[in-house]
Amino acid sequence: MPKGKENSISTTQGAGRDILAVIVDAKRREVEGLRPRREELLGRARDASPPRGFAAALRVPTEVRLLAEIKRRSPSAGIIRGGADPAGVARAYERAGAGALSVLTDGEFFGGDLGSLTSARAAVALPVLRKDFVIDPIQLFEARGAGADAVLLIVRILEDEKLVELSGISHELGMDCLVEVHDADEMERALAADTRLIGVNNRDLSTFHTDLSVSLGLAAAVPPDITLVSESGIRTAEDVERLGAAGVDAVLVGESLMVQPDVGIAAAALVGHQRQPRAGR
């Protein structure tokens, strides 16, 4: 990450605000800039090629599926793989056996863009998630028009009514929703919204501290018919095995893959691990 960006986040935190609040403020400004293009973006969404089955790609009864991420940088890690070619990384992930892709599309804080998503999707047959901070329907039109098969919805930044609204519009556009939670209260909200695909982020987006036990502790709260994804902090085959033993259906892994000299070899080490049934509640 450019030094100026790091300083900007640090200064804002010092004024009593967390990283997530800074990012969401930036998203509000982005959304306002998109408003004049609403009809154009909606038209592109309607004309886009049919979506691929994202949720289905993450559900294999006896195997933990890999949701492999293309990520150039982050507020916590700085530059991870700044010059990454999304198409080349996507092909390496597909050859390694990944079930689906996640592409960071935030530019200001993560160095991504929608063009990277479009390029990655065109290079492979895998379904692709737009990973961003979605707060408005216009971002869903933008995502589908760029080829996204699914979008991330973060419970922490959405009121219940907005979560339901965005989920409904996503499904109308043919996209799946990975609804992200970090604690028990957010899990309850996600389940109350009739979510079928839940991601537990092991990273606290307010502090960017990561703890794998977050997923392990929340897994039992997820009914067995709901697909459960563990996100962030997953680095080794042993991590995947621990999560599989808890009944996790898939793991979202980005940074620990993108820092390796060969992302394909790194991804292959996280593929094919056994998943145990999840009793749920």
Side-chain angles (χ1 to χ4, degrees):
M1 172 180 288
K3 193 172 181 60
K5 292 297 182 191
E6 291 177 332
N7 289 343
S8 172
I9 292 173
S10 177
T11 299
T12 310
Q13 283 185 276
R17 306 189 62 218
D18 60 37
I19 298 172
L20 184 59
V22 177
I23 294 173
V24 171
D25 273 354
K27 287 298 147 184
R28 292 192 183 104
R29 293 191 294 272
E30 284 185 21
V31 164
E32 290 310 309
L34 290 172
R35 299 270 185 230
R37 300 178 55 204
R38 184 184 186 281
E39 293 307 313
E40 170 204 343
L41 294 171
L42 181 56
R44 288 186 181 183
R46 289 170 173 163
D47 293 339
S49 61
R52 301 165 183 170
F54 179 82
L58 300 182
R59 187 88 179 193
V60 174
T62 59
E63 179 185 326
V64 180
R65 298 291 275 164
L66 174 63
L67 173 53
E69 186 163 271
I70 299 172
K71 181 178 185 180
R72 292 191 176 105
R73 71 174 192 239
S74 79
S76 58
I79 295 173
I80 299 167
R81 201 183 191 101
D85 168 38
V89 175
R91 285 190 287 266
Y93 282 158
E94 184 177 48
R95 289 193 297 268
L101 301 180
S102 168
V103 180
L104 261 299
T105 61
D106 171 78
E108 184 172 351
F109 301 97
F110 290 86
D113 53 67
L114 281 164
S116 294
L117 185 150
T118 302
S119 296
R121 189 178 189 272
V124 297
L126 300 176
V128 181
L129 169 79
R130 179 189 186 179
K131 191 177 181 189
D132 211 314
F133 299 81
V134 175
I135 58 174
D136 190 273
I138 202 164
Q139 294 168 286
L140 303 177
F141 306 153
E142 190 183 38
R144 184 78 275 272
D149 304 290
V151 292
L152 183 74
L153 299 179
I154 302 171
V155 169
R156 183 167 294 194
I157 65 174
L158 300 170
E159 299 292 336
D160 291 346
E161 184 177 347
K162 180 61 71 173
L163 175 62
V164 171
E165 177 195 8
L166 293 175
S167 178
I169 294 172
S170 297
H171 292 143
E172 288 173 8
L173 293 170
M175 295 187 294
D176 291 314
C177 296
L178 177 59
V179 177
E180 180 180 290
V181 307
H182 179 68
D183 58 30
D185 289 342
E186 291 174 7
M187 178 69 77
E188 289 291 339
R189 292 178 57 206
L191 293 172
D194 198 26
T195 300
R196 310 306 301 167
L197 178 59
I198 290 180
V200 175
N201 196 342
N202 301 307
R203 176 174 287 120
D204 185 337
L205 291 177
S206 297
T207 63
F208 273 61
H209 173 72
T210 302
D211 183 352
L212 203 66
S213 68
V214 176
S215 282
L216 296 171
L218 290 175
V222 182
D225 61 331
I226 292 175
T227 301
L228 175 62
V229 181
S230 179
E231 310 169 12
S232 302
I234 300 150
R235 296 178 175 84
T236 66
E238 289 75 21
D239 289 338
V240 180
E241 289 169 0
R242 287 178 66 202
L243 293 163
V248 168
D249 294 286
V251 290
L252 189 158
V253 189
E255 184 176 322
S256 67
L257 298 178
M258 296 292 289
V259 297
Q260 298 301 318
D262 189 317
V263 298
I265 291 175
L270 304 184
V271 169
H273 296 282
Q274 188 173 10
R275 174 190 177 272
Q276 299 297 327
R278 186 176 66 250
R281 62 180 185 184

